[in-house]
Amino acid sequence: MGAHECIEADVGYYINAINISTPCPHHSKCIGGLYLPQPNNDYWIDRNDIYYANDVFQCQTETCTGSYLTLSSPLSICWSHLCIKNKHHIQCEICNNNNNKHNNNNNNNKQSNTNISSSSLQCSEGAQGPLCGSCVVGYGYSVISRTCIQCVVKTFNHYIYLLCFCLLLIFSGIILYVDSKYNHNGIGIDHEGKVIISESQSY
């Protein structure tokens, strides 16, 4: 039941670790064939071991996007028995791409995973690890959005400081130029900023 000749599962079922067609777990969807369950939004599945495919965990943050890949998606193979059992298979190279861009629920996210971990397929941008509970380098957790956001404030401040320094140099140069021009014509500026005219001007 739930399989074609006990080889591939029907939609709503998956083939478990002992090759038995099994109903799809709650909070997940199964596209049939030799593909493991994919978690719904706010849920997470450990893809590193086929024996854990039936365990669907609820996330405590907004970093779990779930997975909504169909058979027509090139990345659907990452949920197959083939790539779970043989992570280095040539057909699974797309799952190991460090800068893998995937389309889960029409969201294009860039992750920096170095293996066929769950992070590259079911976590929001910048999130990684079990339950998408940590952030990759260059991202920090926001308690407001409950997601990982890119750390850009520090870099932005550096640009502001550089701009202010350049403006200060330009302003100082203008002051020095004006002051030297006034001094050449017998005109100067005292410490209070008042213009003074030298009495020893030559005509």
Side-chain angles (χ1 to χ4, degrees), residues 92-147:
C92 304
E93 288 182 353
I94 189 174
C95 307
N96 302 322
N97 190 347
N98 290 349
N99 293 319
N100 185 26
K101 290 183 178 179
H102 59 90
N103 188 3
N104 281 348
N105 201 19
N106 296 324
N107 290 324
N108 290 326
N109 298 326
K110 180 182 286 188
Q111 302 295 334
S112 57
N113 300 287
T114 57
N115 52 39
I116 192 172
S117 67
S118 305
S119 304
S120 59
L121 294 169
Q122 50 185 331
C123 297
S124 63
E125 180 178 355
Q128 67 175 355
L131 298 173
C132 307
S134 61
C135 301
V136 300
V137 175
Y139 285 76
Y141 183 74
S142 169
V143 294
I144 298 177
S145 64
R146 302 179 69 197
T147 60

Side-chain angles (χ1 to χ4, degrees), residues 2-201:
H4 295 295
E5 299 179 357
C6 299
I7 297 176
E8 294 186 356
D10 291 329
V11 175
Y13 290 80
Y14 75 100
I15 303 298
N16 65 15
I18 55 176
N19 295 322
I20 295 177
S21 180
T22 307
C24 205
H26 292 299
H27 309 298
S28 67
K29 81 283 300 175
C30 295
I31 59 177
L34 292 175
Y35 295 90
L36 297 177
Q38 298 181 52
N40 293 337
N41 188 38
D42 294 329
Y43 289 86
W44 183 87
I45 292 176
D46 187 352
R47 295 178 51 263
N48 288 317
D49 195 319
I50 194 171
Y51 286 93
Y52 301 143
N54 193 59
D55 298 328
V56 183
F57 300 93
Q58 185 172 11
C59 300
Q60 302 303 314
T61 64
E62 301 297 326
T63 53
C64 295
T65 60
S67 181
Y68 299 87
L69 300 173
T70 62
L71 290 174
S72 61
S73 172
L75 284 172
S76 62
I77 194 172
C78 300
W79 289 95
S80 68
H81 277 239
L82 172 66
C83 291
I84 299 302
K85 293 179 178 179
N86 187 359
K87 298 177 175 61
H88 302 292
H89 193 281
I90 188 171
Q91 295 185 36
C92 304
E93 288 182 353
I94 189 174
C95 307
N96 302 322
N97 190 347
N98 290 349
N99 293 319
N100 185 26
K101 290 183 178 179
H102 59 90
N103 188 3
N104 281 348
N105 201 19
N106 296 324
N107 290 324
N108 290 326
N109 298 326
K110 180 182 286 188
Q111 302 295 334
S112 57
N113 300 287
T114 57
N115 52 39
I116 192 172
S117 67
S118 305
S119 304
S120 59
L121 294 169
Q122 50 185 331
C123 297
S124 63
E125 180 178 355
Q128 67 175 355
L131 298 173
C132 307
S134 61
C135 301
V136 300
V137 175
Y139 285 76
Y141 183 74
S142 169
V143 294
I144 298 177
S145 64
R146 302 179 69 197
T147 60
C148 296
I149 59 176
Q150 193 168 13
C151 303
V152 296
V153 177
K154 188 173 182 179
T155 302
F156 179 75
N157 285 341
H158 287 166
Y159 285 117
I160 293 296
Y161 295 147
L162 180 60
L163 177 62
C164 291
F165 179 72
C166 292
L167 290 175
L168 180 61
L169 287 179
I170 294 173
F171 183 74
S172 300
I174 293 175
I175 293 296
L176 291 175
Y177 172 77
V178 172
D179 186 56
S180 63
K181 185 176 181 181
Y182 281 160
N183 285 333
H184 180 73
N185 295 324
I187 302 174
I189 300 176
D190 63 9
H191 66 282
E192 295 181 352
K194 297 179 181 179
V195 177
I196 57 175
I197 301 176
S198 175
E199 297 179 356
S200 59
Q201 292 187 28

